[in-house]
Structure formats: structure tokens, C-alpha cells
Amino acid sequence: MAAGGPASELIMFIVAVIVAGSVAGALAYVTTDIAHGMNYRGTLLADQLRTDFAIINDPNNIPHSNLSAQPVNYTFYIKNIGKIAFPFSQDSVQVLLNGIMISPSNLTFLDPQTGAEINTLQPYEVGAVNVTLGNALTSGDDYTLTVVLSNGERRSFVFRAP
Amino acid sequence: MGFSVSASAAIIFISFLVAASTLYTAWDNSYTNVQAAREDWYNLKLSQLNTLVDLNGTLGAASIDDTDKVYNVTLYIEDYGSTMYVKGWSAVYDGYYRTIYNVSDDNVGFLKNYTYVLPGDTLLLNVTNIPLDSTHHNLTVIFDNGCWLRIGWYYNGSAVLITDRENGCPTEVS
């Protein structure tokens, strides 16, 4: 019993340090998690602000394949006017025509100069989206093309079908 | 007992300090990053607001080649707005994309290797080998910030006439 005093003091000390360490560890874990979230959210927001693009077609003159042969291809030009590159592929870009989503398998993303497929669009670069439709659009009617990037940036473009 | 309390209090206090500094660093990084991006966004919008590029006169020059039945047009494009980066410009001629910095790879291009256009500068833009008929042609020059200048013309049998010219900047529905 005589040794009970220091032993219990030691046990109390160890328990107190373990409890305080656990609280500190939990706090560090939660803090790191919040810090990662803040960094991620900040980067996402900054990327959204730095991403911008324009659909640069002549709305009265959309390049197309033979309208009487099915399927019909229409070509739309996208220019990166932002500060950073963005993904430019079937997996990352959605295209809607009059609000109806075009299946990714009907989209081709090309370099308009070489005709080669591309995956990203650098600042100032122009990329072409080939939209393949089963039937030709009604000639003379107005349509709205909406392009949505992977980060949610979207632009709409009204054109007259050739 | 007293030492246990002091030790645990010290551990928790230090962990609070570490947590606060971690959170502050993360917040500061995010804030700086977003502020810089916001600055870029404002610069783009300001650049679009200060963009004013138009033809200097009705048409620069036109040369008609009766032998090959083609004609060439040189458009005098003047910058009435702020300084712009010409290497970032693109063109759409009769609906199709054309490189604008090189006239030899297609029929549309600058006469010189421009990098920047300063306020008041005039750029000479050539469109060559246009079939000598009355077809209406259309050229859209798209600037580095997405704004554009669209020019239409045709050959009336004796001269080349500008039919329309419009300019604008990207909006949600353009």
C-alpha cells in the first residue's frame, strides 16, 4: 500500500497522456481532413474561374457531311479562351442538342487542322467536335447546341441548320 | 495528479496550435489560389470589354486574276481597343476553320508574322484564290479572348464589295 501512491500517480499520468494524445490525434486527423477539403475546393474553384471556352462557328454556315447520306456529321469548333488546358474527349465533354444529350459514341474530338483525335485543348487552341446524327437536321430551323465541360463550365450556341 | 493535468493540458494546447496553423495554411493557400484565378477571370472580362477591332475602311485591297479566274482580298484590320495577342487568333472562312498565322497552308493568313497588335495598329490579312464568281464569302476572325469580327463580301463582276461586318464577344447564348 505504501507504493500505491506513486504507482497510482504514474497510472494517472499515463492515462491522462493517452487520453490527451487521443484527443490531439483525433483533432489532427479532423484538421488535416478539413485542410485537404479546403485545398481541393480552392483548386476546383480556381480551375473553374480559369476555364473558359467559346463556340466559334459561323451560326449560318455549319460544316457538315452529305445531308442526303445517313448518318450526317456536323462540325462545331471550340476555342479555349481560358488560362488552363481542359480535357476534350468523349469521357469529359457532354454535348446537348436542343436539350437532348448526344451519346458520347456519336461524338468525335479532333484537331481541325490535322483531323487527328485529341484529348486536351490548350489555351488559344481550337478543337473540333464532330456530332454524328442519324438524320439531318431540318434545314433552315434554329437549334441550340450546349457544350458542358468536366468541371461544369457550359456554353450554348444557337445556329441555323444547313 | 497535478503533473498529469498539466501534461495533458499542454498536449491538447499544442495540438490546438498545430490544428490552427494547419487550417490557416490551407485557408491561405486556397484564398491565394482563388484570388489569382479571380484576377485572371477579371482580366479576361476586361479584355473582352476593351476589344474593338474593325476594318480600316470598307475593304483593304482586291486583286483580280482573270486568267486563273480567281481574286485575292487583303483586309486591313485595325485595333481600336486594347493591345491583343495575335498568335492566339483563329479564323473561320466560309464555315470552316482556318489557321490565320500562315497563308501558305491554306488561303487565309496574315501578310506578316505578327505577335502583338497595339492600339491603332493595322494588320493585313490575305484571303487568296477565291473563285471569280458572285458567291458570297464570309470570314470570322476570332481573337484570343473569344471576341470576333465577321466580314462578308462578294464579287459583283467588276469589284469586290463588303456586304456585312459584325463584331461581338462570347455570351451565354452566342
Side-chain angles (χ1 to χ4, degrees):
Chain A
M1 194 67 190
S8 63
E9 283 284 330
L10 186 63
I11 290 166
M12 285 286 284
F13 175 73
I14 291 168
V15 168
V17 167
I18 288 171
V19 169
S22 303
V23 171
L27 189 66
Y29 177 79
V30 171
T31 307
T32 311
D33 200 33
I34 293 171
H36 282 157
M38 284 167 81
N39 278 332
Y40 174 77
R41 189 75 186 147
T43 308
L44 194 71
L45 190 57
D47 281 356
Q48 276 181 342
L49 285 167
R50 288 194 174 103
T51 304
D52 207 343
F53 69 99
I55 304 167
I56 61 168
N57 285 72
D58 179 347
N60 287 307
N61 198 349
I62 304 296
H64 57 83
S65 61
N66 184 356
L67 294 177
S68 52
Q70 294 171 335
V72 183
N73 284 317
Y74 294 91
T75 305
F76 297 92
Y77 301 117
I78 310 290
K79 185 181 176 88
N80 182 350
I81 58 171
K83 292 284 176 193
I84 56 170
F86 58 76
F88 191 66
S89 65
Q90 293 174 342
D91 303 328
S92 55
V93 178
Q94 276 83 48
V95 177
L96 297 95
L97 191 61
N98 275 1
I100 297 164
M101 191 171 159
I102 307 289
S103 164
S105 59
N106 290 337
L107 303 173
T108 319
F109 295 83
L110 305 168
D111 179 336
Q113 216 179 333
T114 62
E117 286 209 34
I118 52 175
N119 293 314
T120 52
L121 213 53
Q122 299 294 331
Y124 306 128
E125 263 188 358
V126 175
V129 184
N130 262 2
V131 178
T132 305
L133 299 176
N135 296 304
L137 300 173
T138 308
S139 183
D141 278 7
D142 294 338
Y143 291 86
T144 303
L145 181 93
T146 305
V147 177
V148 187
L149 301 187
S150 55
N151 63 5
E153 276 293 310
R154 48 172 278 173
R155 288 284 175 270
S156 292
F157 173 72
V158 176
F159 65 96
R160 189 150 297 156
Chain B
M1 181 70 181
F3 187 65
S4 303
V5 172
S6 306
S8 54
I11 289 169
I12 289 175
F13 180 70
I14 290 167
S15 72
F16 267 109
L17 284 181
V18 172
S21 78
T22 306
L23 281 180
Y24 176 76
T25 309
W27 173 83
D28 188 49
N29 283 343
S30 299
Y31 182 77
T32 310
N33 199 5
V34 171
Q35 282 297 319
R38 205 175 68 140
E39 195 76 18
D40 289 337
W41 188 85
Y42 277 129
N43 284 342
L44 177 65
K45 299 300 163 193
L46 279 174
S47 146
Q48 290 175 343
L49 284 171
N50 287 304
T51 295
L52 184 56
V53 178
D54 204 349
L55 284 183
N56 175 0
T58 51
L59 178 77
S63 61
I64 292 154
D65 183 350
D66 275 323
T67 315
D68 293 332
K69 297 291 177 201
V70 293
Y71 68 97
N72 302 329
V73 169
T74 304
L75 302 165
Y76 294 177
I77 295 174
E78 184 162 349
D79 181 8
Y80 297 100
S82 56
T83 300
M84 300 179 83
Y85 180 61
V86 184
K87 300 274 186 200
W89 291 17
S90 321
V92 171
Y93 174 55
D94 284 346
Y96 288 88
Y97 172 76
R98 294 284 182 263
T99 58
I100 203 168
Y101 44 83
N102 185 359
V103 78
S104 60
D105 62 341
D106 50 46
N107 294 335
V108 184
F110 289 117
L111 283 183
K112 274 173 60 183
N113 188 17
Y114 302 106
T115 302
Y116 288 98
V117 54
L118 307 181
D121 278 0
T122 300
L123 309 178
L124 305 186
L125 178 63
N126 247 4
V127 185
T128 59
N129 294 320
I130 310 166
L132 195 61
D133 55 34
S134 59
T135 307
H136 184 271
H137 295 280
N138 201 295
L139 176 73
T140 308
V141 180
I142 301 102
F143 312 124
D144 52 323
N145 57 17
C147 294
W148 46 267
L149 168 67
R150 187 170 296 138
I151 305 151
W153 71 88
Y154 75 105
Y155 176 68
N156 72 349
S158 57
V160 178
L161 301 176
I162 296 282
T163 54
D164 55 281
R165 60 198 226 216
E166 305 94 32
N167 47 28
C169 283
T171 53
E172 178 51 31
V173 176
S174 57

